[in-house]
Amino acid sequence: MKQICFRRLFYFILVPVLLAGCATTTNYYDNLNKLLTQGKFSDAVALNEGSKDDIYGKKNALLYYLDRGMLLHYNGNYTESSLSFEKAKKYSEEYFTKSITTEASTLLISDNMRPYYGEDFEQALVRVFCAINYIFLNQEDDALVEARQVDQFLKTLKVNYGFKDVYTEDAFVRYLMGMLYENKGEINDAFISYRQALDAYKYYVKNYGVSTPKELVYDALKTAKKLGFSDEIREIEQEYQLKQKDTASAGGELVVIHYNGLCPVKIDHFFEISFGKGWVYVENMDVKGEEEQQVEQARAIVNSIASDEQIRLAFPKYVRENYAVQNLGVKVTALNGLSSTGVMAEDIGAIAIKGLEDRINRIRAKTIARGVIKFVLAQKVTSKVKESSGEVSAWFAKTLLKTVSAATEASDKRSWRSLPDKINLARISLPEGTHSVEVKFYDKSNNEVKNQVLNNIKIVKGKKTFVALRTAN
């Protein structure tokens, strides 16, 4: 009878309360993705603005401004987008400083309770999207300021993690920076960025399956030639088996930036292990720094007990979203069907998944340590209740603590959800003047999924003209 009463209490009161928050957030992102898929970006902006307090709240302020900046960017509100991204950068810098002390105090509570700090690649990309905003606002100097901020940030990552095989460089960022420098006539900086991008794509092909774009190799060769770097030309030509292109042209170039798909989503990956096995797992972890201190905290308590009861744990895991469009093609009918095919330049989803894999051991160590400490505390509380109020009360206390612990066990599934999964680039040289360009989007079998005509594309001699398009279906 006692068990039946308690189960009823749990299912009718506790479960609905716990699931309400999850359902609200899930519904929000389902609706947001639906609007992105339909290309209703202004509606997505409105949905985001109306959800600032209910969905995001103070601890997710960084996520709010990241999403807001991204959605405004998709909608062509570039000034407002940059203002939002600037707020995101301030929160990110502030949280990075605070995280050093905050992390040490989160052992006993879920990571969801602390502010969202943002991933390293997210902090690099926010500066990239700021730079692209300034390109579309014809503020090239401000775009270069953002490019230099990216450079400084990536240098910081190298100092912090240079000894590890993790994200410390971004090939697409370097590639885009090179084009920005080249557009501004800063050829030496352009060559350096192109060279860094070539090196970064070697890591990309191995870890993310993204190959070096041929146009990048030609860019590196072209700028090296302008600088008279004959040794570098020979080295690049030999390594990539490509010769310099004839760059004599009276026109400029159109660069289509294609934001494609929906970024992977984190889900809970649950499993249960016995308390004893859980602690053995923690003891065998190779943890250092803060994690080592946290494990030491747990060890002091664990040494006093022994039990084979189960503990429930949740770790984050990424799952890919489905979408049809895989690539794009650009065609100019008025110029005898002059065309170009896009290539993948950045697999954001792959970077996110690899980044989580790189730090999953730290997450597991912390989660298991937290799980065993919660278990031990529940045992202690139950023992105290038994001493003071008897076995019946102790049974209720133990069952309640175990149930709440299991029901509230959830991994930190937060991420910048409005990001595209991939970024493709399509580049085509065009005569100086104004053009109409047809852009077609294809699925993995090269069937056309949709098309879009871009009118009044102005090409300036010796310059690159950028446009950005978003597909999520």
Side-chain angles (χ1 to χ4, degrees):
M1 177 64 76
K2 287 180 293 190
Q3 290 182 345
I4 293 173
C5 291
F6 180 80
R7 283 173 183 166
R8 286 177 177 171
L9 176 69
F10 174 73
Y11 284 114
F12 285 101
I13 299 177
L14 186 57
V15 168
V17 171
L18 292 170
L19 293 181
C22 298
T24 304
T25 303
T26 302
N27 290 342
Y28 167 72
Y29 281 110
D30 284 347
N31 291 332
L32 194 68
N33 288 346
K34 185 177 180 181
L35 293 173
L36 291 178
T37 302
Q38 296 171 344
K40 296 179 178 178
F41 303 127
S42 61
D43 291 342
V45 171
L47 175 63
N48 167 263
E49 289 177 346
S51 306
K52 181 178 180 181
D53 297 325
D54 294 341
I55 299 299
Y56 295 91
K58 288 184 178 178
K59 69 175 183 288
N60 294 319
L62 171 60
L63 270 182
Y64 171 74
Y65 286 110
L66 288 174
D67 278 337
R68 175 175 164 76
M70 198 73 247
L71 297 171
L72 287 165
H73 179 80
Y74 294 150
N75 199 44
N77 305 118
Y78 302 119
T79 299
E80 294 89 341
S81 172
S82 288
L83 290 174
S84 188
F85 282 145
E86 288 300 325
K87 288 186 178 179
K89 284 193 283 186
K90 285 184 180 179
Y91 273 108
S92 180
E93 291 165 3
E94 179 185 339
Y95 289 160
F96 178 78
T97 304
K98 285 184 177 179
S99 69
I100 297 172
T101 54
T102 305
E103 277 296 314
S105 64
T106 59
L107 180 61
L108 281 176
I109 61 173
S110 167
D111 288 343
N112 291 296
M113 300 301 291
R114 62 165 171 74
Y116 182 72
Y117 303 147
E119 307 281 356
D120 290 335
F121 74 91
E122 292 176 349
Q123 295 185 51
L125 286 176
V126 70
R127 292 163 172 84
V128 172
F129 292 121
C130 269
I132 297 174
N133 280 338
Y134 288 124
I135 291 172
F136 295 145
L137 291 169
N138 295 316
Q139 299 175 15
E140 287 189 337
D141 289 336
D142 291 322
L144 285 180
V145 170
E146 296 294 335
R148 293 189 175 99
Q149 284 186 15
V150 178
D151 181 57
Q152 187 58 44
F153 179 73
L154 293 174
K155 285 178 180 174
T156 302
L157 291 185
K158 281 190 174 66
V159 171
N160 292 342
Y161 310 124
F163 59 96
K164 296 179 180 177
D165 185 27
V166 298
Y167 174 89
T168 56
E169 186 58 275
D170 195 299
F172 168 70
V173 170
R174 297 295 187 186
Y175 187 7
L176 184 67
M177 286 172 59
M179 289 192 278
L180 296 181
Y181 283 126
E182 190 180 352
N183 244 16
K184 194 64 179 171
E186 300 183 15
I187 304 303
N188 190 60
D189 286 336
F191 173 74
I192 292 171
S193 293
Y194 288 143
R195 204 69 178 91
Q196 291 171 321
L198 289 176
D199 290 338
Y201 274 113
K202 295 175 186 173
Y203 179 86
Y204 267 39
V205 72
K206 181 178 70 174
N207 290 281
Y208 311 135
V210 180
S211 302
T212 305
K214 281 187 179 180
E215 291 300 324
L216 168 62
V217 180
Y218 291 131
D219 288 332
L221 289 170
K222 178 178 59 180
T223 48
K225 183 180 180 182
K226 288 181 178 178
L227 294 166
F229 292 167
S230 55
D231 290 344
E232 283 78 2
I233 292 173
R234 276 195 299 274
E235 183 182 322
I236 294 170
E237 285 183 338
Q238 184 175 358
E239 182 172 3
Y240 294 93
Q241 295 296 300
L242 289 174
K243 292 291 184 182
Q244 298 176 62
K245 271 185 174 180
D246 179 10
T247 56
S249 171
E253 185 179 26
L254 173 64
V255 180
V256 179
I257 303 171
H258 174 211
Y259 306 129
N260 190 31
L262 298 168
C263 208
V265 178
K266 286 178 188 170
I267 61 170
D268 278 318
H269 179 53
F270 289 108
F271 76 97
E272 293 183 345
I273 58 175
S274 69
F275 170 78
K277 288 182 179 177
W279 185 247
V280 169
Y281 186 87
V282 176
E283 288 279 30
N284 291 330
M285 284 283 186
D286 181 17
V287 291
K288 296 179 180 178
E290 292 174 6
E291 287 78 18
E292 187 176 20
Q293 294 176 15
Q294 292 164 357
V295 170
E296 283 298 324
Q297 285 180 277
R299 181 179 290 117
I301 301 173
V302 169
N303 286 339
S304 66
I305 71 149
S307 171
D308 60 355
E309 293 196 43
Q310 298 290 308
I311 54 175
R312 179 178 169 86
L313 305 167
F315 305 132
K317 174 186 176 183
Y318 271 114
V319 292
R320 291 275 195 178
E321 296 275 24
N322 295 320
Y323 55 91
V325 173
Q326 296 298 314
N327 202 2
L328 76 160
V330 180
K331 183 177 179 181
V332 184
T333 304
L335 297 175
N336 298 319
L338 183 66
S339 63
S340 176
T341 303
V343 297
M344 191 199 308
E346 183 91 322
D347 190 337
I348 295 174
I351 293 173
I353 292 170
K354 178 71 166 53
L356 181 58
E357 291 173 353
D358 289 338
R359 65 178 191 283
I360 195 64
N361 278 348
R362 282 182 288 157
I363 295 172
R364 283 175 177 162
K366 187 175 177 180
T367 302
I368 294 175
R370 181 167 59 233
V372 295
I373 287 176
K374 285 162 65 178
F375 176 85
V376 172
L377 290 176
Q379 295 289 93
K380 294 287 186 184
V381 170
T382 303
S383 177
K384 290 291 183 184
V385 172
K386 184 177 180 180
E387 289 177 11
S388 61
S389 305
E391 290 192 3
V392 174
S393 298
W395 181 88
F396 271 109
K398 182 179 180 180
T399 305
L400 178 63
L401 289 169
K402 284 178 63 179
T403 305
V404 171
S405 176
T408 56
E409 180 63 25
S411 63
D412 188 351
K413 299 183 288 294
R414 294 172 294 179
S415 62
W416 187 359
R417 297 278 296 270
S418 55
L419 280 173
D421 185 40
K422 295 179 174 64
I423 299 178
N424 300 321
L425 289 181
R427 300 173 55 179
I428 184 168
S429 297
L430 295 173
E432 185 176 15
T434 303
H435 303 274
S436 290
V437 178
E438 183 179 16
V439 182
K440 293 185 177 182
F441 300 96
Y442 303 98
D443 64 16
K444 63 181 180 182
S445 300
N446 212 31
N447 299 312
E448 183 179 331
V449 176
K450 60 186 292 188
N451 65 73
Q452 187 171 350
V453 176
L454 309 175
N455 294 314
N456 301 315
I457 299 296
K458 186 178 180 181
I459 300 296
V460 179
K461 182 179 178 181
K463 304 271 281 187
K464 301 179 193 301
T465 298
F466 295 86
V467 298
L469 301 174
R470 177 75 167 107
T471 62
N473 57 321

